[in-house]
Amino acid sequence: MTDVRQLRAGDALVVVDVQRDFLPGGSLAVPRGAEVVPVLNRYIGDFVRAGLPVFATRDWHPADHRSFRTRGGPWPPHCVQGSDGARYAPGLALPDSAEIVSKDVEPDQDTYSGFQGGDLDARLSAAGVRRVFVGGLATDYCVLHTVTDALARGYEVVLLRDAVRPVEVVPGDGARAEAEMLRRGARPIEHHMLAPSR
Ligand SMILES: [Zn+2]
């Protein structure tokens, strides 16, 4: 992989599931989840200034989604299609040009990934994307699965280490997920490492 600090043609930013239900106060809150918003806004600004595309995935579940406890799944109901909790985080500065990728929209579709549960792969390909910069929520579920799916499909992946937070059902899951992503070939970056955009 070439220099991860320098944005170039073929790069895209992928913002994973920064939705109200995943923030403190939401139905499936990620501790400190809101901390990713100002950091992601800085990355968004860089990509927009560089003329590079921004993609935002979202959980977009029907009310009878199989991951919900009401159906015997592991999670409280969250990100139900059209609900307030499914909206993006307050203050998240997605540009009008951002491509929204809804995922796991069918009752029995439960993939944690915009590649398997949505059409992220086709949308990235159509935009000529070869390298994705990935941040969002939560490190140990949807970020992990989106990153590993991207790597499996041949994308270069840069993990925005300062713009992800774990839910940690089991303490240590966040660190384990990060290690797994890096072991599979993702490269880490923090915002201060990026070359200044013009
Ligand atoms: Zn979900």
Side-chain angles (χ1 to χ4, degrees):
M1 187 188 284
T2 47
D3 191 350
V4 299
R5 297 166 302 178
Q6 188 71 55
L7 299 182
R8 57 168 200 241
D11 287 345
L13 178 64
V14 177
V15 176
V16 175
D17 296 10
V18 183
Q19 292 168 272
R20 293 173 193 228
D21 271 342
F22 296 131
L23 303 183
S27 68
L28 180 41
V30 174
R32 300 168 60 207
E35 292 177 6
V36 303
V37 172
V39 187
L40 284 168
N41 284 345
R42 289 196 275 277
Y43 287 107
I44 290 168
D46 292 321
F47 276 75
V48 168
R49 277 190 296 277
L52 296 169
V54 176
F55 294 77
T57 66
R58 62 180 183 181
D59 256 2
W60 196 247
H61 298 322
D64 60 344
H65 193 251
R66 80 168 189 192
S67 77
F68 296 172
R69 284 179 188 146
T70 44
R71 276 198 59 196
W75 308 115
H78 61 277
C79 300
V80 172
Q81 295 168 9
S83 70
D84 238 30
R87 295 168 63 199
Y88 285 113
L92 183 68
L94 289 173
D96 291 341
S97 60
E99 293 207 32
I100 307 303
V101 177
S102 300
K103 66 183 170 63
D104 295 346
V105 301
E106 301 294 336
D108 293 313
Q109 189 179 35
D110 192 22
T111 69
Y112 299 118
S113 163
F115 287 93
Q116 295 185 60
D119 61 353
L120 183 57
D121 198 11
R123 307 269 289 273
L124 292 171
S125 294
V129 174
R130 295 178 299 280
R131 186 169 72 164
V132 288
F133 289 64
V134 182
L137 302 172
T139 314
D140 36 358
Y141 287 92
C142 290
V143 172
L144 171 66
H145 287 269
T146 298
V147 164
T148 55
D149 279 351
L151 290 164
R153 284 162 176 73
Y155 293 92
E156 294 180 29
V157 178
V158 182
L159 176 67
L160 309 181
R161 283 196 64 205
D162 52 353
V164 294
R165 293 292 183 278
V167 62
E168 300 218 308
V169 173
V170 177
D173 276 355
R176 279 187 288 275
E178 269 199 39
E180 174 73 5
M181 290 185 273
L182 302 184
R183 189 184 66 75
R184 289 178 184 241
R187 300 270 304 277
I189 196 172
E190 296 184 6
H191 189 263
H192 63 89
M193 297 161 65
L194 263 192
S197 56
R198 284 176 286 277

